[in-house]
Amino acid sequence: MANENSMLLGIDLPYSLEAEQSVLGAVLVEPGVLSELVEKLKPECFYRTQHKALFGEMVRMFTSGEPVDFITVLEAAREAEVFQSEQEAKVYLSHLMEIVPSVKNLSAYVDIILDKQLLRNLMEISGDIMSEARESGAEGRLLLDSAEQRIYDVRQGRAAKGLVPISETLIETYDRINKLNGEDREQYLGIKTGYSAVDEKIGGLNKSDLIILAARPGMGKTSFALNIAANVAIKSKKKVAVFSLEMSSEQITTRMLSCEACVESRRIRNGSLEPSDWIRLTEAAQFLNKSNILIDDTAGITVSEIKAKLRRIRDLDLVIIDYLQLMSSGKRSDNRVQEVSEMTRNLKLMAKELNVPVVVLSQLSRTTESRQGHKPMLSDLRESGSIEQDADIVMFLYRESYYQLQEGQPAPEQDTVECIVSKNRHGETGTAVLRWDGQYTRFYTLEEYRSE
C-alpha cells in the first residue's frame, strides 16, 4: 500500500525501523522462526522497500525448501538486487544480526509491525476519502459504501495490494489440502445441504461460492431454500442468514414451522389446528429456537445493504437471498439487464469477501412455458446472461407434475422433483432426483421418502 517515500497530508507515515530490523535479524540468527513468521507477516507488512524485498526473498526460500542463513540470504539479495552493492548487503545483514535484542521477544516485534501497518493503511484510506469527497459530482452514498468496504478490508487483513507470487499462496493451499485429508476433514468440506443426491453433484455449499437456484413460479424454490437453511442450521449447527424480499419474516417462520412439524400450512393459516398439531408445532419450535437462523425481510434491499448487515455477524456460515429480481441496485437506471448484471457481480464479490456460500434464488423467463418438455436451460435465466457468468453453480428445479396438473392430467402418486445442476465450476453437471410434499412444503431425498 504505502512505501517509505509516501507522504499523506504532509505527514510521514508511521513505522518502526527497530521492529522491522529485529524481525529480519531474528531470521538470520535463528532461521527456524521463519515458519512462525510466514503465518503472521507478508512482505507488504514492512515499510522500508529493502525490508519488503528481504522478507520476500526469505519467504521464497522457505517455500522452495532452500536453507536460510546469512550466506544464502546474502546471495538471494544480490541476485534480486535488493542493495546497490554486495558490500552494502554484507554490512546491512551483519548489522541486522547484531541489533536483535532477543529472539524470544519476536512476537512483540511482529505486533509492532502489524500495528504500524494498520495505522498506515487507515491514514492512506482517510486521505483517499478526503480527496474523493472534494471531487465535483461525488455521491455521498457511493463514497460511504466505498469507505466502509475499504475499512472492512483492513479489518479482515485484506488491504489492497499488488500481485502476489505463487510461492506465498502455495503455503496456504498446501495447508488446506492437508486439512482436507486429515482427521477433521469434515470441518473443511462444503456445508451439506441435507440432500445427499444434491451434495454428491455439487460437493456441498462451498465457501465464497455464488449459487443460483432458479425455477418458474410454483416449483418450490423458496421452500427448497428454506429446507436447506433448516438442515444447515439444525443438523449441521451452522449460522444461516436469510434475506426474504417477497415474504415477511412471520411468513417465513410459518413455513419453516409447517415443514419441521409436518403440519399443513393451510391449517396454520386458517386457525384449524388439532391438539396433535399443537404438540408437533411446539416440538418444532423448540428445534428452530435453538438454531442459528437470522431473517431479514427488508423489501428492495441492495447488495451494499446486505453486505453491511452481514459484516456485523460473527461466524456466519451461509447466506440465502430470495430473490434476485426483487433486489435493487440503489441507482436510477432504465436498463434492468445492466442492473441485474451489476448485482450478480457484486454478489459474487460479496461471497468471496465474506468467504461464505451465497445462495441466490432467481426467476426464469416464460420461454420454458412454450417449450416442449418445459425443462429449464441456462438461457432461461431472466434478465441477464451475467447470472450464468458470475455464478459458480446454477441449479434448476423442475416438477413435471406441475405441468401435468396445468394440462388437466391426474396428479401422480409420487411427486418427483428434478434438481438440475446446469453449471458447476467445481465438477460435473447432472440431475439429482428428490421428492416433493406440497402440503408441508417439504423436499425429501428418495431414501428419506421411502422411510416415511
Side-chain angles (χ1 to χ4, degrees), residues 225-260:
L226 293 180
N227 285 180
I228 290 174
N231 289 339
V232 170
I234 296 173
K235 295 179 181 178
S236 299
K237 309 295 184 186
K238 303 289 186 181
K239 186 179 290 186
V240 183
V242 178
F243 291 86
S244 175
L245 287 80
E246 187 176 34
M247 300 168 64
S248 68
S249 57
E250 184 179 339
Q251 290 173 318
I252 291 288
T253 305
T254 300
R255 276 207 181 193
M256 298 185 84
L257 272 172
S258 169
C259 177
E260 293 301 312

Side-chain angles (χ1 to χ4, degrees), residues 17 20 79 180 236 269 278 290 348 380:
L17 175 64
E20 292 188 6
E79 291 182 359
L180 284 170
S236 299
R269 292 194 306 270
W278 280 109
K290 293 177 183 177
K348 173 56 187 175
D380 297 325

Side-chain angles (χ1 to χ4, degrees), residues 243 245 296 298-303 305-306 309 326-329:
F243 291 86
L245 287 80
D296 185 294
T298 305
I301 197 168
T302 66
V303 178
E305 290 168 341
I306 289 175
K309 293 181 179 185
L326 291 179
M327 294 180 67
S328 169
S329 66

